[in-house]
Amino acid sequence: MILVTGAGGALGRLVAGELAGRGDVVLGSRTPRSAGERRVDFDDPGSLDFTGVDTLLLISAGYGEDDVVVARHDAAISAAEKAEVGHIVYTSLSGDGDHLPYALAHRWTERRLRRSASAWTILRNGLYAEFLADIAAPGPDGTIAAPLGEGRLAAVARADLAAVAARVVSTPQEHVGKVYELVGERALGGAELAAAIGGAYAPAALGATREAIIASGVALPYQVPMLVGTYSAVAGGFLDGSGVEGSSLRGLLGRAPQSALEVYRRAAAAAIGNVR
Ligand SMILES: NC(=O)c1ccc[n+]([C@@H]2O[C@H](COP(=O)([O-])OP(=O)(O)OC[C@H]3O[C@@H](n4cnc5c(N)ncnc54)[C@H](OP(=O)(O)O)[C@@H]3O)[C@@H](O)[C@H]2O)c1
């Protein structure tokens, strides 16, 4: 049996779609949406019974301070070990993301898996093209003010990462002990994003952006450094894919990846009510 955690999230829903129709897949979520789904909440040990699970897809639960996220992932892995789950597949962060504020919890979880009694596979996901559309969204006049500098991001369509995850959990024995880097093949910079939506690129300073994020009130305190640190890492040239040795994306997909620029264009255009 395959159990997918976080099945209510955007990535989890896409993975569930990829695995639909199989009789041996159980979806787990904090908020089950059907009788067939199981309640799985890493914050609630009582919900972590993985008896009978052969392969666990552990989708990271990265929204929180490091201690919270680490405790969640530790609880999930410990429960899997207790239930003698054969194989754990974890959605981590690409190797070039080590400067990101949220890298620590991913690397901690990778270490935890390496000393686990279960077999494991680590999917080092690049940043989503959809996430790029959030953090580099154009303003109402089409201007992108995100402080990406001259940096570029090797973004990946979330659906491609879901397809890879579904493939790996379907043939786990082929992926024992593997760490797959999954970043986009073409890195995107601010000027290119602006051209794609017919807008302009006028990057703000990091400090002004930090103040604007705080003033907007949309980010929780722990999220402010996460966002600013993401801009800083892109601007510093750390996330353009050049620091990753060999992306496994195309090979594991068995086809060309989706265009991250097109995913960005659609999401950004929709955000400003300008879908073409
Ligand atoms: N690569 C990227 O660009 C990027 C961007 C943002 C986040 N991420 C990371 O990738 C993960 C999946 O991305 P996404 O786009 O699907 O995020 P999302 O749509 O925001 O979903 C959040 C995910 O976290 C899970 N979760 C939260 N608290 C949990 C808990 N206590 N126990 C178990 N699961 C919990 C949710 O599961 P349920 O709601 O089903 O319980 C859901 O799968 C995120 O959680 C985050 O760690 C990656």
Side-chain angles (χ1 to χ4, degrees):
M1 183 209 302
I2 297 169
L3 190 141
V4 178
T5 76
L11 182 67
R13 287 197 301 273
L14 290 166
V15 173
E18 294 280 342
L19 297 172
R22 291 183 55 142
D24 61 346
V25 175
V26 174
L27 304 179
S29 174
R30 289 166 300 171
T31 48
R33 289 164 297 167
S34 71
E37 284 193 19
R38 234 186 245 187
R39 198 175 83 79
V40 173
D41 182 344
F42 301 159
D43 293 330
D44 176 7
S47 74
L48 302 181
D49 180 0
F50 297 137
T51 306
V53 175
D54 302 300
T55 304
L56 180 74
L57 176 59
L58 171 50
I59 292 186
S60 63
Y63 294 92
E65 300 281 1
D66 284 343
D67 57 348
V68 172
V69 178
V70 161
R72 283 179 183 156
H73 293 176
D74 191 28
I77 294 168
S78 297
E81 289 172 336
K82 188 174 168 203
E84 298 184 358
V85 170
H87 196 128
I88 302 171
V89 179
Y90 172 64
T91 63
S92 188
L93 171 69
S94 57
D96 57 3
D98 279 337
H99 294 282
L100 293 167
Y102 35 95
L104 186 145
H106 285 296
R107 299 295 175 250
W108 186 94
T109 307
E110 291 185 4
R111 282 188 178 181
R112 174 71 182 81
L113 282 174
R114 285 175 194 278
R115 58 180 167 81
S116 167
S118 303
W120 50 265
T121 305
I122 292 166
L123 306 177
R124 284 187 156 185
N125 289 350
L127 296 187
Y128 307 145
E130 292 85 348
F131 179 57
L132 181 61
D134 284 341
I135 65 167
D141 66 349
T143 299
I144 297 170
L148 305 173
E150 297 301 312
R152 296 183 304 145
L153 174 64
V156 196
R158 193 193 264 117
D160 282 351
L161 296 170
V164 167
R167 177 170 180 172
V168 169
V169 296
S170 298
T171 53
Q173 62 287 350
E174 293 174 20
H175 308 286
V176 173
K178 297 273 174 61
V179 179
Y180 293 119
E181 296 285 352
L182 302 165
V183 302
E185 296 178 349
R186 186 170 154 225
L188 306 174
E192 193 175 3
L193 300 179
I197 56 164
Y201 177 50
L206 277 178
T209 302
R210 184 186 297 273
E211 283 171 19
I213 292 169
I214 293 169
S216 73
V218 295
L220 294 167
Y222 75 86
Q223 291 176 317
V224 177
M226 284 185 168
L227 290 165
V228 176
T230 301
Y231 292 127
S232 190
V234 174
F238 289 100
L239 295 177
D240 63 5
S242 62
V244 167
E245 219 169 286
S247 174
S248 300
L249 185 63
R250 182 180 286 255
L252 286 171
L253 278 172
R255 59 166 169 79
Q258 286 186 38
S259 161
L261 184 60
E262 182 57 16
V263 172
Y264 171 85
R265 191 191 68 78
R266 282 181 178 280
I272 56 173
N274 183 25
V275 187
R276 287 186 287 254

